[in-house]
Amino acid sequence: MKKFKSFIREFDVKIPSKKDTMDINRKEMPQIKSKDLNDFFNFLKKNNVKTIKKTVDASKLKATQGQFDKSKIKDAIDAISDGSMPDKPIMVSKDGYVIDGHHRWLAYMNMGRKIDVFEANVNAKELIEYMKKYPKSFTKNLYEALELVCERDDTCPVVTAAQLKAFEKVVDQLFKAYKIDFDFGKRHFGERMSDERNNPCIDLKELAAMIKKIYMQTKKSGDTLSKHKDTEIVLKDLQSQLNMPVAIEYDRKNDEIDVIAKTIMRKKDFKTPNKVVKV
């Protein structure tokens, strides 16, 4: 008799039809690292959302995302069969949607097995919103977009206006939910990044790391930038010693906060009369 995992390789694994899913793009789904799951559950608890661990029939669950990688499902089937699959429950909503762990779920479904889950007492749409609000969550789509426009170049050339415009477009998408619009369009901003006095010069990848920290703070507090509207502050990255003076203005026409980056400099004892906001 053939082993189950050998048999499963001989036919195409079953995946849900898009019409039976919420069809959310995989890269737009909020992601939470395994090491942060317990912290996320505490975050849910503080927001009066309860989670319970239970075992359910995998065939009764539904998908939030609409794209699947069959090779990952087959690899998961092999891992379950040989006992190497980590004992990690997937996350589901009270209305039966898988929020995180789609490929493991589909492996169990194709094998006709039950699966351990953490079930939240809210529906899928509400649970996804909580994931977006959780300070440590991220989406692969936006982070990958930042990486694409931030490839490191050790020769330290002047960052062009076109590069900054592409970078700004991604950053604005990242902060869109908070009605915050960044402007890196000052003529000399790219030149300041490449100034030899920075030692070493500042590239887009390092700037992106700083922006991510500002984003995480904004997700956590909601008003990291907006509470300073109509003033000038200095955003300071303590790890890299980057200092970015910005003017924060309320745009009444578009009902958003404009963050205008004036310059940037790497300096430990950066002098300024304005308030310094550490990130």
Side-chain angles (χ1 to χ4, degrees), residues 140-156:
K140 289 183 178 180
N141 202 30
L142 287 172
Y143 273 26
E144 287 180 3
L146 276 177
E147 294 296 320
L148 285 174
V149 297
C150 301
E151 293 183 359
R152 188 175 293 279
D153 187 339
D154 294 332
T155 61
C156 211

Side-chain angles (χ1 to χ4, degrees), residues 97-129:
Y97 280 96
V98 176
I99 305 298
D100 183 47
H102 280 80
H103 292 101
R104 277 183 292 133
W105 158 55
L106 288 172
Y108 278 94
M109 186 190 76
N110 275 274
M111 297 174 77
R113 295 192 184 183
K114 292 185 176 182
I115 186 170
D116 291 336
V117 303
F118 285 120
E119 182 183 277
N121 66 337
V122 293
N123 63 32
K125 288 183 178 180
E126 191 173 353
L127 185 54
I128 290 171
E129 286 304 310

Side-chain angles (χ1 to χ4, degrees), residues 17-259:
S17 169
K18 274 196 175 185
K19 65 180 177 62
D20 296 323
T21 74
M22 292 177 69
D23 196 21
I24 299 175
N25 189 299
R26 285 179 60 198
K27 292 186 177 182
E28 294 293 345
M29 280 290 291
Q31 308 284 317
I32 297 175
K33 294 180 180 178
S34 297
K35 65 183 181 66
D36 294 323
L37 271 180
N38 286 335
D39 186 55
F40 176 62
F41 292 149
N42 287 332
F43 171 80
L44 289 176
K45 188 175 181 180
K46 289 177 182 178
N47 286 277
N48 299 314
V49 176
K50 297 179 181 179
T51 56
I52 58 171
K53 185 177 179 180
K54 59 195 301 187
T55 302
V56 301
D57 183 345
S59 67
K60 303 297 184 183
L61 299 175
K62 299 167 285 187
T64 48
Q65 68 186 43
Q67 303 85 29
F68 310 98
D69 185 334
K70 290 185 177 181
S71 65
K72 287 186 178 180
I73 299 171
K74 290 177 181 178
D75 287 343
I77 289 171
D78 280 353
I80 294 167
S81 299
D82 63 25
S84 62
M85 174 65 73
D87 183 18
K88 175 188 169 187
I90 65 171
M91 191 183 308
V92 303
S93 61
K94 75 172 183 180
D95 49 350
Y97 280 96
V98 176
I99 305 298
D100 183 47
H102 280 80
H103 292 101
R104 277 183 292 133
W105 158 55
L106 288 172
Y108 278 94
M109 186 190 76
N110 275 274
M111 297 174 77
R113 295 192 184 183
K114 292 185 176 182
I115 186 170
D116 291 336
V117 303
F118 285 120
E119 182 183 277
N121 66 337
V122 293
N123 63 32
K125 288 183 178 180
E126 191 173 353
L127 185 54
I128 290 171
E129 286 304 310
Y130 279 118
M131 290 179 74
K132 289 179 180 178
K133 292 175 183 176
Y134 176 58
K136 296 180 183 178
S137 71
F138 62 96
T139 61
K140 289 183 178 180
N141 202 30
L142 287 172
Y143 273 26
E144 287 180 3
L146 276 177
E147 294 296 320
L148 285 174
V149 297
C150 301
E151 293 183 359
R152 188 175 293 279
D153 187 339
D154 294 332
T155 61
C156 211
V158 172
V159 178
T160 67
Q163 287 174 312
L164 279 174
K165 187 174 182 179
F167 179 82
E168 181 181 307
K169 184 177 180 180
V170 177
V171 172
D172 286 343
Q173 185 64 27
L174 196 64
F175 285 85
K176 184 178 180 180
Y178 303 97
K179 294 186 175 182
I180 295 173
D181 183 85
F182 275 77
D183 180 0
F184 297 99
K186 292 293 183 183
R187 183 178 59 84
H188 63 279
F189 191 87
E191 296 173 1
R192 293 290 187 182
M193 290 177 66
S194 304
D195 194 309
E196 61 183 14
R197 290 173 295 178
N198 287 315
N199 191 28
C201 63
I202 306 161
D203 62 16
L204 280 172
K205 197 159 190 174
E206 193 170 22
L207 178 59
M210 181 179 182
I211 292 295
K212 286 179 185 178
K213 291 178 183 178
I214 298 168
Y215 173 67
M216 297 301 275
Q217 282 194 8
T218 301
K219 285 190 71 176
K220 187 173 183 179
S221 69
D223 62 355
T224 299
L225 298 171
S226 59
K227 67 182 178 182
H228 300 292
K229 69 179 180 180
D230 298 324
T231 62
E232 293 190 6
I233 63 172
V234 174
L235 295 167
K236 185 178 186 71
D237 187 329
L238 294 175
Q239 183 178 5
S240 62
Q241 296 300 327
L242 293 186
N243 304 274
M244 185 165 63
V246 298
I248 301 181
E249 302 174 356
Y250 176 58
D251 180 350
R252 286 175 174 78
K253 180 179 179 181
N254 295 307
D255 187 28
E256 65 184 14
I257 297 294
D258 291 338
V259 180

